Amino acid sequence: MKHTTYTVTAEPTEEPITLAQLKTRLRVTVTEFDTELTELLTAARKQLEHDTNRRFVTQTIDIESDSFPSGDVLELRQAPISAVTSISYTDTAGDVQTFAASNYTTDLRSTPPRVQVAETTNWPATDDVPNAVKVTVTAGYGAAAAVPVEAKLAIVEWCKMHWGDSDGNATKYQNLRNKLAWSGCWKAM
């Protein structure tokens, strides 16, 4: 797989920390900034997800690429993933097909998670079009309570860096981010 696109098709229903928790950490006691702080909280989560190739609260993602890999293993460069919902592709005739789950196995415990084609099967040929392969996954640690504390602290630190006169620290954010990042995350899919 060469070029890869990640599209969130079902956003999380909650953030890793609540607005009330963020307001306490920022020492904000009024409600007039609640809308802006809610947007800041979402932006912080999305930035940390981008920086770490991790998803924190359950969400659905389409991972699209131009083709299947040349080898047997398809790495899914997001973690954690709890389920591969479907794999579809555009065949050489230009029709969208579903690759049957019986044709592959998943290893969702590894980082990065991966899909391996069955021994008796090959990845199908695809049309030469952008995003010919789509893998739909459920990603995230689950509910907000399951999100690692390092992620919650990094989100707060990012919000501090972007909220008025708060005392945010970029080095602290980077250190927390690095604890969440996994080796090899810079490699192409």
Side-chain angles (χ1 to χ4, degrees), residues 143-161:
V147 174
V149 67
E150 294 87 354
K152 294 177 181 186
L153 292 171
I155 287 168
V156 169
E157 203 59 42
W158 193 92
C159 288
K160 284 181 174 182
M161 291 183 331

Side-chain angles (χ1 to χ4, degrees), residues 62-89:
D62 284 344
I63 304 172
E64 296 177 292
S65 185
D66 296 342
S67 62
F68 284 107
S70 57
D72 293 342
V73 176
L74 168 63
E75 288 186 344
L76 306 173
R77 311 299 280 163
Q78 297 288 299
I81 291 176
S82 60
V84 172
T85 308
S86 68
I87 299 177
S88 61
Y89 62 98

Side-chain angles (χ1 to χ4, degrees), residues 13-139:
T13 58
E14 62 181 340
E15 293 297 340
I17 64 171
T18 66
L19 176 61
Q21 290 169 323
L22 178 62
K23 287 174 69 173
T24 298
R25 295 298 300 268
L26 295 178
R27 295 180 177 87
V28 174
T29 57
V30 297
T31 59
E32 65 186 279
F33 302 112
D34 283 3
T35 300
E36 185 176 351
L37 287 170
T38 299
E39 292 169 351
L40 185 67
L41 182 55
T42 299
R45 174 192 41 90
K46 288 181 176 184
Q47 184 62 53
L48 187 60
E49 288 175 341
H50 172 79
D51 290 347
T52 62
N53 286 346
R54 290 194 178 274
R55 301 297 169 148
F56 299 109
V57 182
T58 301
Q59 54 195 279
T60 303
I61 304 171
D62 284 344
I63 304 172
E64 296 177 292
S65 185
D66 296 342
S67 62
F68 284 107
S70 57
D72 293 342
V73 176
L74 168 63
E75 288 186 344
L76 306 173
R77 311 299 280 163
Q78 297 288 299
I81 291 176
S82 60
V84 172
T85 308
S86 68
I87 299 177
S88 61
Y89 62 98
T90 305
D91 67 17
T92 55
D95 298 321
V96 176
Q97 305 290 337
T98 298
F99 194 56
S102 60
N103 290 330
Y104 60 87
T105 59
T106 60
D107 173 10
L108 304 180
R109 292 184 59 183
S110 293
T111 304
R114 56 196 179 152
V115 176
Q116 184 165 351
V117 70
E119 265 187 47
T120 58
T121 310
N122 293 315
W123 296 114
T126 60
D127 198 0
D128 189 21
V129 296
N131 300 319
V133 176
K134 178 167 73 172
V135 181
T136 301
V137 301
T138 303

